[in-house]
Amino acid sequence: MKVTYPHMGNMAIGVKAMLEELGVEVVLPPPITKKTLTLGTKYGPEFACLPLKLNLGNFIEAYELGADTILMAGGTGPCRFGYYAYVEQEILKDLGINYDLLVLEPPERNIMEFIAKLKKITDNKPIFQVIRAVKKGFLKIKAADEIEKKVAFFRAREITKGATDRVWQEFLQNLNRAREEKEIEEAVNQAVVALARIPMDLARKVLKIGVVGEIFTLLEPFTNFNIERYLGNLGVEVQRTIYLSEWVNDHLFLGLFKNYSRHKEIVKEAPPFLCHFVGGHGQETVGGVKYLKKQGFDGVIQLLPFTCMPEIVAQAVLPAVSEVEDIPVLSLVVDEHTGEAGLITRLEAFCDLLSFRQKGGNHEKRRISGN
């Protein structure tokens, strides 16, 4: 069995570590490129969202490298992601690409359901080995999130452009190579020391922008044109409302690590604007705007793939949230036709507006929102 799975930000590092610990052979698709996108849009349904198309492209490229089994997460609720794995398998079959499919549905009661499913797909490895593998994978994605948050702070204040990104890339390589828990800790400590050595302008007044929206679009830099790095290079500190380790703790571990995730804290901010679950991360998106306002952020960007139903619901509500909470919100919809130049123009204009507000210009009675 040669297992592959789609890219989504730094997820590949943790999943690869977990599967290899269980003795499973992993065939990673190449990093997402325009070729991946072209393959996905050529064979995927036009009305499907961008994540499905990029998943398809990943699987076709991985098949060419010898993969024969797909590992995918499942899902519940109104979001179409819950049946993507099966739709993708059927599309691939029509192309003559026959994959075995393993879908990890979210557990309903406790983390042991998730462990049991993993045990089943790894030829009934001993339970302690499965737990050790899951822990190793989780520690890696947790470490990546930890350093990525620090990178956002340093990138906005660095004096030499690119210095923070070099540390970040070196850290990811070290993290990928780490085989033991101690080596993961060493990779984190080395990155923290390296970041602390970067010359910074701490007196610089930076903008703080929060990013909310659909998880794949938030986490995968190819999909969002590496928006966090672009804004960071403009001198903007960027934080997301969703980090992969928090999502894993909430949805796969069912909150095993107490006080680790901000999910409940964010969702409780959604009423009265949105009082119920609408699938995906729609409720988090709405609650996230108010949450970020309380955290002192200057503005919020919503990222969503075209035709994403939960985020369309959230998008309809956000102008009211922006008005009441007095915080500018910009919604950016992406698909295979999105041009980088147009997106950058909108980002720069948004930052100009936020700078204007931050400097105390003639804005007191104005609200800024954009779509």
Side-chain angles (χ1 to χ4, degrees), residues 126-158:
I127 195 79
F128 72 87
Q129 190 176 347
V130 177
I131 292 173
R132 190 174 62 196
V134 170
K135 182 184 177 189
K136 184 176 176 181
F138 181 71
L139 286 176
K140 285 204 174 191
I141 60 171
K142 180 172 172 286
D145 285 348
E146 213 174 287
I147 297 301
E148 195 171 22
K149 290 174 188 172
K150 294 183 186 297
V151 162
F153 176 87
F154 282 84
R155 189 188 277 136
R157 296 167 176 83
E158 66 186 7

Side-chain angles (χ1 to χ4, degrees), residues 306-318:
F306 183 57
T307 74
C308 175
M309 188 277 289
E311 290 300 324
I312 290 172
V313 173
Q315 187 184 11
V317 177
L318 289 183

Side-chain angles (χ1 to χ4, degrees), residues 46-85:
E46 185 184 1
F47 55 82
C49 65
L50 195 55
L52 180 142
K53 294 168 185 170
L54 290 174
N55 286 177
L56 264 184
N58 281 159
F59 297 147
I60 294 171
E61 290 182 300
Y63 185 78
E64 292 168 353
L65 296 175
D68 57 29
T69 304
I70 290 172
L71 179 64
M72 277 279 287
T76 56
C79 175
R80 294 178 293 183
F81 176 75
Y83 58 81
Y84 269 13

Side-chain angles (χ1 to χ4, degrees), residues 83-333:
Y83 58 81
Y84 269 13
Y86 306 101
V87 172
E88 288 161 0
Q89 188 187 32
E90 290 302 315
I91 294 171
L92 291 168
K93 271 185 191 172
D94 289 344
L95 297 175
I97 299 174
N98 294 305
Y99 267 117
D100 288 329
L101 179 64
L102 302 171
V103 181
L104 285 176
E105 299 290 352
E108 294 180 358
R109 293 187 297 274
N110 57 55
I111 187 178
M112 291 314 293
E113 287 180 38
F114 175 68
I115 299 290
K117 287 172 184 170
L118 267 182
K119 189 172 182 291
K120 189 176 176 183
I121 68 172
T122 55
D123 199 22
N124 284 316
K125 288 281 191 305
I127 195 79
F128 72 87
Q129 190 176 347
V130 177
I131 292 173
R132 190 174 62 196
V134 170
K135 182 184 177 189
K136 184 176 176 181
F138 181 71
L139 286 176
K140 285 204 174 191
I141 60 171
K142 180 172 172 286
D145 285 348
E146 213 174 287
I147 297 301
E148 195 171 22
K149 290 174 188 172
K150 294 183 186 297
V151 162
F153 176 87
F154 282 84
R155 189 188 277 136
R157 296 167 176 83
E158 66 186 7
I159 291 173
T160 307
K161 288 298 174 192
T164 306
D165 287 331
R166 284 192 285 278
V167 173
W168 172 238
Q169 291 304 322
E170 187 178 347
F171 163 73
L172 290 178
Q173 290 172 14
N174 291 338
L175 185 64
N176 205 19
R177 284 194 293 264
R179 300 187 65 81
E180 305 295 334
E181 195 171 323
K182 188 180 174 186
E183 293 172 349
I184 297 172
E185 288 174 11
E186 284 174 3
V188 170
N189 292 337
Q190 285 172 11
V192 170
V193 171
L195 286 170
R197 288 175 179 159
I198 293 174
M200 290 197 301
D201 179 2
L202 291 174
R204 183 186 301 166
K205 197 167 179 58
V206 303
L207 287 172
K208 291 179 71 177
I209 293 180
V211 185
V212 301
E214 187 271 336
I215 184 170
F216 187 94
T217 318
L218 288 189
L219 300 188
E220 176 50 51
F222 180 89
T223 311
N224 61 41
F225 296 89
N226 219 326
I227 188 173
E228 292 183 43
R229 189 176 67 187
Y230 185 80
L231 288 171
N233 288 333
L234 289 181
V236 178
E237 183 180 343
V238 182
Q239 294 291 339
R240 303 189 297 264
T241 49
I242 300 175
Y243 285 86
L244 184 58
S245 56
E246 291 181 277
W247 184 89
V248 169
N249 186 49
D250 290 335
H251 297 273
L252 299 183
F253 297 173
L254 299 181
L256 179 68
F257 299 102
K258 304 297 179 192
N259 303 319
Y260 179 72
S261 167
R262 302 163 297 164
H263 173 74
K264 288 182 181 174
E265 198 179 345
I266 291 171
V267 167
K268 80 176 183 184
E269 299 287 2
F273 305 103
L274 187 60
C275 301
H276 56 86
F277 180 62
V278 294
H281 302 280
Q283 214 175 0
E284 282 171 270
T285 294
V286 173
V289 175
K290 190 173 173 184
Y291 172 83
L292 291 164
K293 168 73 177 182
K294 287 183 175 177
Q295 301 293 316
F297 281 73
D298 299 292
V300 178
I301 294 174
Q302 179 201 20
L303 285 171
L304 65 150
F306 183 57
T307 74
C308 175
M309 188 277 289
E311 290 300 324
I312 290 172
V313 173
Q315 187 184 11
V317 177
L318 289 183
V321 186
S322 172
E323 176 74 19
V324 171
E325 298 300 328
D326 189 25
I327 182 168
V329 179
L330 174 67
S331 293
L332 295 174
V333 183

